[in-house]
mmCIF file with all atom_site columns, all heavy atoms in Angstrom:
data_model
loop_
_atom_site.group_PDB
_atom_site.id
_atom_site.type_symbol
_atom_site.label_atom_id
_atom_site.label_alt_id
_atom_site.label_comp_id
_atom_site.label_asym_id
_atom_site.label_entity_id
_atom_site.label_seq_id
_atom_site.pdbx_PDB_ins_code
_atom_site.Cartn_x
_atom_site.Cartn_y
_atom_site.Cartn_z
_atom_site.occupancy
_atom_site.B_iso_or_equiv
_atom_site.pdbx_formal_charge
_atom_site.auth_seq_id
_atom_site.auth_comp_id
_atom_site.auth_asym_id
_atom_site.auth_atom_id
_atom_site.pdbx_PDB_model_num
ATOM 1   N N   . LEU B 1 403 ? -33.959 28.825 2.081  1.00 83.00 ? 403 LEU B N   1
ATOM 2   C CA  . LEU B 1 403 ? -32.876 29.232 1.172  1.00 83.00 ? 403 LEU B CA  1
ATOM 3   C C   . LEU B 1 403 ? -31.537 29.183 1.879  1.00 83.00 ? 403 LEU B C   1
ATOM 4   O O   . LEU B 1 403 ? -30.518 28.762 1.321  1.00 83.00 ? 403 LEU B O   1
ATOM 5   C CB  . LEU B 1 403 ? -33.135 30.665 0.675  1.00 83.00 ? 403 LEU B CB  1
ATOM 6   C CG  . LEU B 1 403 ? -34.098 30.829 -0.494 1.00 83.00 ? 403 LEU B CG  1
ATOM 7   C CD1 . LEU B 1 403 ? -34.268 32.318 -0.801 1.00 83.00 ? 403 LEU B CD1 1
ATOM 8   C CD2 . LEU B 1 403 ? -33.578 30.105 -1.717 1.00 83.00 ? 403 LEU B CD2 1
ATOM 9   N N   . VAL B 1 404 ? -31.560 29.624 3.143  1.00 86.00 ? 404 VAL B N   1
ATOM 10  C CA  . VAL B 1 404 ? -30.312 29.605 3.941  1.00 86.00 ? 404 VAL B CA  1
ATOM 11  C C   . VAL B 1 404 ? -29.874 28.166 4.163  1.00 86.00 ? 404 VAL B C   1
ATOM 12  O O   . VAL B 1 404 ? -28.680 27.829 4.050  1.00 86.00 ? 404 VAL B O   1
ATOM 13  C CB  . VAL B 1 404 ? -30.534 30.343 5.287  1.00 86.00 ? 404 VAL B CB  1
ATOM 14  C CG1 . VAL B 1 404 ? -29.227 30.414 6.062  1.00 86.00 ? 404 VAL B CG1 1
ATOM 15  C CG2 . VAL B 1 404 ? -31.106 31.726 5.057  1.00 86.00 ? 404 VAL B CG2 1
ATOM 16  N N   . THR B 1 405 ? -30.857 27.310 4.464  1.00 85.00 ? 405 THR B N   1
ATOM 17  C CA  . THR B 1 405 ? -30.524 25.891 4.673  1.00 85.00 ? 405 THR B CA  1
ATOM 18  C C   . THR B 1 405 ? -29.886 25.301 3.427  1.00 85.00 ? 405 THR B C   1
ATOM 19  O O   . THR B 1 405 ? -28.880 24.586 3.497  1.00 85.00 ? 405 THR B O   1
ATOM 20  C CB  . THR B 1 405 ? -31.805 25.093 5.021  1.00 85.00 ? 405 THR B CB  1
ATOM 21  O OG1 . THR B 1 405 ? -32.488 25.765 6.074  1.00 85.00 ? 405 THR B OG1 1
ATOM 22  C CG2 . THR B 1 405 ? -31.468 23.682 5.447  1.00 85.00 ? 405 THR B CG2 1
ATOM 23  N N   . ILE B 1 406 ? -30.449 25.635 2.267  1.00 86.00 ? 406 ILE B N   1
ATOM 24  C CA  . ILE B 1 406 ? -29.900 25.099 1.011  1.00 86.00 ? 406 ILE B CA  1
ATOM 25  C C   . ILE B 1 406 ? -28.460 25.576 0.816  1.00 86.00 ? 406 ILE B C   1
ATOM 26  O O   . ILE B 1 406 ? -27.578 24.800 0.428  1.00 86.00 ? 406 ILE B O   1
ATOM 27  C CB  . ILE B 1 406 ? -30.789 25.511 -0.185 1.00 86.00 ? 406 ILE B CB  1
ATOM 28  C CG1 . ILE B 1 406 ? -32.137 24.778 -0.091 1.00 86.00 ? 406 ILE B CG1 1
ATOM 29  C CG2 . ILE B 1 406 ? -30.113 25.199 -1.516 1.00 86.00 ? 406 ILE B CG2 1
ATOM 30  C CD1 . ILE B 1 406 ? -33.192 25.273 -1.045 1.00 86.00 ? 406 ILE B CD1 1
ATOM 31  N N   . ALA B 1 407 ? -28.222 26.851 1.121  1.00 88.00 ? 407 ALA B N   1
ATOM 32  C CA  . ALA B 1 407 ? -26.855 27.377 0.976  1.00 88.00 ? 407 ALA B CA  1
ATOM 33  C C   . ALA B 1 407 ? -25.890 26.618 1.893  1.00 88.00 ? 407 ALA B C   1
ATOM 34  O O   . ALA B 1 407 ? -24.769 26.275 1.499  1.00 88.00 ? 407 ALA B O   1
ATOM 35  C CB  . ALA B 1 407 ? -26.836 28.870 1.297  1.00 88.00 ? 407 ALA B CB  1
ATOM 36  N N   . ILE B 1 408 ? -26.352 26.343 3.116  1.00 89.00 ? 408 ILE B N   1
ATOM 37  C CA  . ILE B 1 408 ? -25.493 25.591 4.052  1.00 89.00 ? 408 ILE B CA  1
ATOM 38  C C   . ILE B 1 408 ? -25.213 24.186 3.503  1.00 89.00 ? 408 ILE B C   1
ATOM 39  O O   . ILE B 1 408 ? -24.080 23.687 3.564  1.00 89.00 ? 408 ILE B O   1
ATOM 40  C CB  . ILE B 1 408 ? -26.159 25.512 5.448  1.00 89.00 ? 408 ILE B CB  1
ATOM 41  C CG1 . ILE B 1 408 ? -26.233 26.905 6.075  1.00 89.00 ? 408 ILE B CG1 1
ATOM 42  C CG2 . ILE B 1 408 ? -25.389 24.562 6.360  1.00 89.00 ? 408 ILE B CG2 1
ATOM 43  C CD1 . ILE B 1 408 ? -27.082 26.957 7.339  1.00 89.00 ? 408 ILE B CD1 1
ATOM 44  N N   . VAL B 1 409 ? -26.246 23.586 2.936  1.00 86.00 ? 409 VAL B N   1
ATOM 45  C CA  . VAL B 1 409 ? -26.078 22.224 2.419  1.00 86.00 ? 409 VAL B CA  1
ATOM 46  C C   . VAL B 1 409 ? -25.096 22.204 1.241  1.00 86.00 ? 409 VAL B C   1
ATOM 47  O O   . VAL B 1 409 ? -24.339 21.230 1.073  1.00 86.00 ? 409 VAL B O   1
ATOM 48  C CB  . VAL B 1 409 ? -27.443 21.618 2.027  1.00 86.00 ? 409 VAL B CB  1
ATOM 49  C CG1 . VAL B 1 409 ? -27.256 20.275 1.330  1.00 86.00 ? 409 VAL B CG1 1
ATOM 50  C CG2 . VAL B 1 409 ? -28.310 21.430 3.260  1.00 86.00 ? 409 VAL B CG2 1
ATOM 51  N N   . VAL B 1 410 ? -25.091 23.279 0.453  1.00 89.00 ? 410 VAL B N   1
ATOM 52  C CA  . VAL B 1 410 ? -24.121 23.339 -0.663 1.00 89.00 ? 410 VAL B CA  1
ATOM 53  C C   . VAL B 1 410 ? -22.693 23.278 -0.108 1.00 89.00 ? 410 VAL B C   1
ATOM 54  O O   . VAL B 1 410 ? -21.830 22.539 -0.614 1.00 89.00 ? 410 VAL B O   1
ATOM 55  C CB  . VAL B 1 410 ? -24.343 24.625 -1.495 1.00 89.00 ? 410 VAL B CB  1
ATOM 56  C CG1 . VAL B 1 410 ? -23.190 24.838 -2.478 1.00 89.00 ? 410 VAL B CG1 1
ATOM 57  C CG2 . VAL B 1 410 ? -25.668 24.527 -2.258 1.00 89.00 ? 410 VAL B CG2 1
ATOM 58  N N   . VAL B 1 411 ? -22.459 24.056 0.965  1.00 89.00 ? 411 VAL B N   1
ATOM 59  C CA  . VAL B 1 411 ? -21.120 24.016 1.603  1.00 89.00 ? 411 VAL B CA  1
ATOM 60  C C   . VAL B 1 411 ? -20.854 22.607 2.136  1.00 89.00 ? 411 VAL B C   1
ATOM 61  O O   . VAL B 1 411 ? -19.733 22.068 2.031  1.00 89.00 ? 411 VAL B O   1
ATOM 62  C CB  . VAL B 1 411 ? -21.040 25.061 2.746  1.00 89.00 ? 411 VAL B CB  1
ATOM 63  C CG1 . VAL B 1 411 ? -19.672 25.010 3.415  1.00 89.00 ? 411 VAL B CG1 1
ATOM 64  C CG2 . VAL B 1 411 ? -21.326 26.450 2.210  1.00 89.00 ? 411 VAL B CG2 1
ATOM 65  N N   . TRP B 1 412 ? -21.887 22.021 2.681  1.00 87.00 ? 412 TRP B N   1
ATOM 66  C CA  . TRP B 1 412 ? -21.789 20.654 3.213  1.00 87.00 ? 412 TRP B CA  1
ATOM 67  C C   . TRP B 1 412 ? -21.296 19.685 2.116  1.00 87.00 ? 412 TRP B C   1
ATOM 68  O O   . TRP B 1 412 ? -20.399 18.872 2.320  1.00 87.00 ? 412 TRP B O   1
ATOM 69  C CB  . TRP B 1 412 ? -23.185 20.244 3.710  1.00 87.00 ? 412 TRP B CB  1
ATOM 70  C CG  . TRP B 1 412 ? -23.290 19.001 4.528  1.00 87.00 ? 412 TRP B CG  1
ATOM 71  C CD1 . TRP B 1 412 ? -22.410 17.976 4.616  1.00 87.00 ? 412 TRP B CD1 1
ATOM 72  C CD2 . TRP B 1 412 ? -24.386 18.667 5.386  1.00 87.00 ? 412 TRP B CD2 1
ATOM 73  N NE1 . TRP B 1 412 ? -22.881 17.015 5.464  1.00 87.00 ? 412 TRP B NE1 1
ATOM 74  C CE2 . TRP B 1 412 ? -24.090 17.413 5.952  1.00 87.00 ? 412 TRP B CE2 1
ATOM 75  C CE3 . TRP B 1 412 ? -25.580 19.298 5.721  1.00 87.00 ? 412 TRP B CE3 1
ATOM 76  C CZ2 . TRP B 1 412 ? -24.962 16.772 6.839  1.00 87.00 ? 412 TRP B CZ2 1
ATOM 77  C CZ3 . TRP B 1 412 ? -26.440 18.655 6.602  1.00 87.00 ? 412 TRP B CZ3 1
ATOM 78  C CH2 . TRP B 1 412 ? -26.135 17.409 7.164  1.00 87.00 ? 412 TRP B CH2 1
ATOM 79  N N   . PHE B 1 413 ? -21.880 19.801 0.916  1.00 87.00 ? 413 PHE B N   1
ATOM 80  C CA  . PHE B 1 413 ? -21.471 18.954 -0.213 1.00 87.00 ? 413 PHE B CA  1
ATOM 81  C C   . PHE B 1 413 ? -19.982 19.130 -0.525 1.00 87.00 ? 413 PHE B C   1
ATOM 82  O O   . PHE B 1 413 ? -19.261 18.166 -0.761 1.00 87.00 ? 413 PHE B O   1
ATOM 83  C CB  . PHE B 1 413 ? -22.268 19.305 -1.480 1.00 87.00 ? 413 PHE B CB  1
ATOM 84  C CG  . PHE B 1 413 ? -23.666 18.738 -1.488 1.00 87.00 ? 413 PHE B CG  1
ATOM 85  C CD1 . PHE B 1 413 ? -24.735 19.498 -1.928 1.00 87.00 ? 413 PHE B CD1 1
ATOM 86  C CD2 . PHE B 1 413 ? -23.906 17.438 -1.074 1.00 87.00 ? 413 PHE B CD2 1
ATOM 87  C CE1 . PHE B 1 413 ? -26.023 18.989 -1.936 1.00 87.00 ? 413 PHE B CE1 1
ATOM 88  C CE2 . PHE B 1 413 ? -25.194 16.924 -1.083 1.00 87.00 ? 413 PHE B CE2 1
ATOM 89  C CZ  . PHE B 1 413 ? -26.252 17.700 -1.503 1.00 87.00 ? 413 PHE B CZ  1
ATOM 90  N N   . LEU B 1 414 ? -19.563 20.405 -0.534 1.00 89.00 ? 414 LEU B N   1
ATOM 91  C CA  . LEU B 1 414 ? -18.163 20.673 -0.879 1.00 89.00 ? 414 LEU B CA  1
ATOM 92  C C   . LEU B 1 414 ? -17.227 20.018 0.134  1.00 89.00 ? 414 LEU B C   1
ATOM 93  O O   . LEU B 1 414 ? -16.205 19.424 -0.224 1.00 89.00 ? 414 LEU B O   1
ATOM 94  C CB  . LEU B 1 414 ? -17.912 22.192 -0.922 1.00 89.00 ? 414 LEU B CB  1
ATOM 95  C CG  . LEU B 1 414 ? -18.667 22.949 -2.022 1.00 89.00 ? 414 LEU B CG  1
ATOM 96  C CD1 . LEU B 1 414 ? -18.446 24.451 -1.890 1.00 89.00 ? 414 LEU B CD1 1
ATOM 97  C CD2 . LEU B 1 414 ? -18.221 22.467 -3.401 1.00 89.00 ? 414 LEU B CD2 1
ATOM 98  N N   . ILE B 1 415 ? -17.609 20.119 1.413  1.00 87.00 ? 415 ILE B N   1
ATOM 99  C CA  . ILE B 1 415 ? -16.762 19.521 2.456  1.00 87.00 ? 415 ILE B CA  1
ATOM 100 C C   . ILE B 1 415 ? -16.744 17.997 2.304  1.00 87.00 ? 415 ILE B C   1
ATOM 101 O O   . ILE B 1 415 ? -15.684 17.362 2.410  1.00 87.00 ? 415 ILE B O   1
ATOM 102 C CB  . ILE B 1 415 ? -17.270 19.933 3.851  1.00 87.00 ? 415 ILE B CB  1
ATOM 103 C CG1 . ILE B 1 415 ? -17.068 21.440 4.047  1.00 87.00 ? 415 ILE B CG1 1
ATOM 104 C CG2 . ILE B 1 415 ? -16.552 19.148 4.949  1.00 87.00 ? 415 ILE B CG2 1
ATOM 105 C CD1 . ILE B 1 415 ? -17.782 22.000 5.256  1.00 87.00 ? 415 ILE B CD1 1
ATOM 106 N N   . LEU B 1 416 ? -17.902 17.432 2.035  1.00 85.00 ? 416 LEU B N   1
ATOM 107 C CA  . LEU B 1 416 ? -17.968 15.965 1.882  1.00 85.00 ? 416 LEU B CA  1
ATOM 108 C C   . LEU B 1 416 ? -17.116 15.492 0.709  1.00 85.00 ? 416 LEU B C   1
ATOM 109 O O   . LEU B 1 416 ? -16.468 14.442 0.780  1.00 85.00 ? 416 LEU B O   1
ATOM 110 C CB  . LEU B 1 416 ? -19.415 15.524 1.673  1.00 85.00 ? 416 LEU B CB  1
ATOM 111 C CG  . LEU B 1 416 ? -20.299 15.541 2.915  1.00 85.00 ? 416 LEU B CG  1
ATOM 112 C CD1 . LEU B 1 416 ? -21.702 15.081 2.561  1.00 85.00 ? 416 LEU B CD1 1
ATOM 113 C CD2 . LEU B 1 416 ? -19.724 14.645 4.010  1.00 85.00 ? 416 LEU B CD2 1
ATOM 114 N N   . ALA B 1 417 ? -17.134 16.276 -0.359 1.00 85.00 ? 417 ALA B N   1
ATOM 115 C CA  . ALA B 1 417 ? -16.328 15.881 -1.528 1.00 85.00 ? 417 ALA B CA  1
ATOM 116 C C   . ALA B 1 417 ? -14.854 15.822 -1.141 1.00 85.00 ? 417 ALA B C   1
ATOM 117 O O   . ALA B 1 417 ? -14.127 14.901 -1.520 1.00 85.00 ? 417 ALA B O   1
ATOM 118 C CB  . ALA B 1 417 ? -16.551 16.874 -2.665 1.00 85.00 ? 417 ALA B CB  1
ATOM 119 N N   . ARG B 1 418 ? -14.419 16.800 -0.354 1.00 85.00 ? 418 ARG B N   1
ATOM 120 C CA  . ARG B 1 418 ? -12.999 16.811 0.055  1.00 85.00 ? 418 ARG B CA  1
ATOM 121 C C   . ARG B 1 418 ? -12.705 15.685 1.029  1.00 85.00 ? 418 ARG B C   1
ATOM 122 O O   . ARG B 1 418 ? -11.648 15.063 0.965  1.00 85.00 ? 418 ARG B O   1
ATOM 123 C CB  . ARG B 1 418 ? -12.643 18.163 0.675  1.00 85.00 ? 418 ARG B CB  1
ATOM 124 C CG  . ARG B 1 418 ? -12.766 19.303 -0.317 1.00 85.00 ? 418 ARG B CG  1
ATOM 125 C CD  . ARG B 1 418 ? -12.044 20.523 0.134  1.00 85.00 ? 418 ARG B CD  1
ATOM 126 N NE  . ARG B 1 418 ? -10.612 20.293 0.137  1.00 85.00 ? 418 ARG B NE  1
ATOM 127 C CZ  . ARG B 1 418 ? -9.720  21.232 0.420  1.00 85.00 ? 418 ARG B CZ  1
ATOM 128 N NH1 . ARG B 1 418 ? -10.118 22.428 0.724  1.00 85.00 ? 418 ARG B NH1 1
ATOM 129 N NH2 . ARG B 1 418 ? -8.441  20.960 0.412  1.00 85.00 ? 418 ARG B NH2 1
#
Side-chain angles (χ1 to χ4, degrees):
Chain B
L403 278 178
V404 184
T405 310
I406 291 169
I408 294 170
V409 173
V410 169
V411 179
W412 191 340
F413 282 138
L414 295 175
I415 293 168
L416 285 180
R418 296 197 67 176

